[in-house]
Amino acid sequence: MFETVIGLEVHVQLNTKTKLFCSCPISFAEHQNSNTCPTCLALPGALPVVNKEAAIKAMRLGYAINGNVNHSSNFDRKSYFYPDSPSAYQITQLTKAIVQKGEVFIDLKDGTQKRIGMTQAHLEADAGKNIHEGGHSKVDLNRAGTPLLEIVSDPDMRNSDEAVAYLKKLHSTVRYLDISDANMQEGSFRCDVNVSIRPKGQEEFGTRVEIKNINSFRFVADAIAYEVQRQTEAYEDGIYKTEIRQETRLWNVDEGVTKSMRGKEEAADYRYFPDPDLRPLVVTEEMIAQAKKMPELPDAKIERYINELKIKKVDARVLCSTKELAYFFEDMLTTGAKAKTSVNWLNTELLGRLNKAGFNITTSPVTAVKLGELVSKIDDGSINGKGAKDILDVLMTEDKDIDSLIDSMGLAQVSDDGAILEIIDAILEANQAKVEQYRGGKDKLFGFFVGQTMKASKGSANPQKVNELLKERLA
Ligand code: ADP
Ligand code: MG
Ligand code: ZN
């Protein structure tokens, strides 16, 4: 039996206004090579200056993951030759990163949490883009020098579920922190997956393979599954030593396999050395204060929802899984809607409808305040659940006033005792034989009386009231 070992490196594109070492704006949509200057074009004599906003955002992640934020960190040059890097090196942080150590807690399927250790998070500059078009190759350097935060985990994950849970947690965290838009399709959250296997009980790690640049959670899971199988088979066939080499592989989406891209470079291949143009990045008290200004993070939010709002753990986890959902929920509560009713109407009723209609929480045609108002009407007994569902269906396509809808759709719920009793008495009168049977012990008939009363009220009677009053009358 084998154990899988996984460590992840995530490149997060920081959402700063300007590049990491120059004042060029961050924007790739502009005309090719228009967002460039002598520094990001690496012209001789141009000097880099560290972007303070990028440093603060990196520090903010550091505090959020309980890491050590270094008050002085260093930049190194990593040499490689490729047309998209005009300097022929990448500026990164090898020896002393801005954030070292740290931890992230992931939710496992059995309801428990697991701690994943963090190795470091370091700042580095992105490369430009090579574009191959009709027999020509061009280089666009608009992206060159964009700030990346590379977040490296310890090899603490043991299966693909844990790897995906970790990625989702990190993704959600950087979005809560507002340090990156973390759009996976657009490449602002890219992931390298390191996978190895070892016989259960063996202390020493196996040979790891690094799968580069995967841009969806599902592909991460698929690539891990494939690699584990490939490595396990090699082991069982007795060719592990020759077959499984430390190398970089690519996930081929179409074929569903990983393919060797190149042998793993040794650190020496990159000829790392301290960048002589950049002094240590020294942080100030003001930067620390700014970095520590952060919103309530998912773990704390979940705790608060459970303890203060009395929401179930599973629901709290769903709500806090993205900041958009959590903030939507909190906006609903500003209308006075009860937390427990709101959870159900958001997680089940609204999300279900959004999903069906091809929307998500950010494009929802029903605003948080609107849904909160609707929920308040259920809370105070003005309408019942069935009526609220009908109204929500309407709100999905038309933004209408809820009170007018209650009127025009005839959904006002009758909670008035007198009116309901009148109906109940008529029903009991018309079904005297059944009343006798009920009183004689046939409890099941209670449902019949509830059904008849609701029907006679055309669904407008408050079901809770109907239950209470029927119990009284039949006693
Ligand atoms: P490099 O910078 O060359 O990619 P690192 O030592 O920084 O190498 O490790 C990169 C990633 O690989 C880290 O996330 C680490 O947790 C993971 N890792 C290291 N050893 C293993 C292993 N044997 N199996 C799986 N992952 C590993
Ligand atoms: Mg690496
Ligand atoms: Zn520039």
Side-chain angles (χ1 to χ4, degrees), residues 50-110:
V50 182
N51 180 336
K52 193 164 133 187
E53 188 191 359
I56 291 170
K57 288 183 165 168
M59 292 161 70
R60 186 169 294 147
L61 177 93
Y63 293 122
I65 62 170
N66 270 326
N68 300 330
V69 174
N70 281 320
H71 291 188
S72 173
S73 59
N74 301 326
F75 287 100
D76 303 282
R77 290 184 179 181
K78 178 182 184 179
S79 309
Y80 73 95
F81 293 94
Y82 210 57
D84 60 10
S85 173
S87 56
Y89 59 82
Q90 178 189 32
I91 304 179
T92 181
Q93 298 191 294
L94 175 74
T95 49
K96 197 173 181 198
I98 189 159
V99 177
Q100 289 174 315
K101 300 271 193 302
E103 58 191 8
V104 162
F105 293 88
I106 58 169
D107 296 326
L108 301 183
K109 291 214 163 108
D110 66 5

Side-chain angles (χ1 to χ4, degrees), residues 115-136:
R115 177 188 181 277
I116 305 296
M118 308 296 278
T119 315
Q120 68 175 42
H122 57 265
L123 285 164
E124 60 185 32
D126 206 350
K129 259 187 190 149
N130 297 326
I131 303 164
H132 309 286
E133 269 175 6
H136 296 282

Side-chain angles (χ1 to χ4, degrees), residues 5 7-9 152-155 194-196 205-206 208 210 264:
V5 174
L8 298 172
E9 296 161 274
V152 184
S153 85
D154 292 341
N194 296 272
V195 191
S196 65
F205 285 138
R208 92 181 133 107
E210 178 170 0
K264 178 74 193 170

Side-chain angles (χ1 to χ4, degrees), residues 242-310:
T242 49
E243 190 70 14
I244 307 302
R245 284 165 301 140
Q246 187 170 332
E247 62 178 353
T248 302
R249 297 177 75 88
L250 284 181
W251 174 241
N252 185 307
V253 178
D254 299 326
E255 296 173 41
V257 300
T258 63
K259 288 190 177 172
S260 182
M261 180 177 145
R262 55 168 190 249
K264 178 74 193 170
E265 301 82 353
E266 296 297 324
D269 297 332
Y270 289 125
R271 293 175 290 115
Y272 281 102
F273 67 97
D275 192 314
D277 287 345
L278 283 158
R279 297 200 304 170
L281 165 53
V282 175
V283 309
T284 61
E285 287 301 322
E286 180 230 333
M287 289 166 75
I288 294 172
Q290 281 210 46
K292 285 187 171 169
K293 259 189 237 151
M294 63 177 92
E296 185 180 38
L297 291 173
D299 288 342
K301 231 183 229 313
I302 290 171
E303 282 296 302
R304 181 167 65 83
Y305 284 7
I306 294 172
N307 297 327
E308 288 177 23
L309 302 176
K310 309 291 174 214

Side-chain angles (χ1 to χ4, degrees), residues 43 87 90 96 127 136 160 176 216 259 319 326 348 402 422 435 443:
L43 298 185
S87 56
Q90 178 189 32
K96 197 173 181 198
H136 296 282
S160 62
Y176 268 105
S216 102
K259 288 190 177 172
L319 289 173
T348 311
I402 291 178
E422 215 169 281
V435 172
D443 291 347

Side-chain angles (χ1 to χ4, degrees), residues 19 22 24 36-37 40:
K19 293 185 181 179
C22 62
C24 291
T36 54
C37 72
C40 55

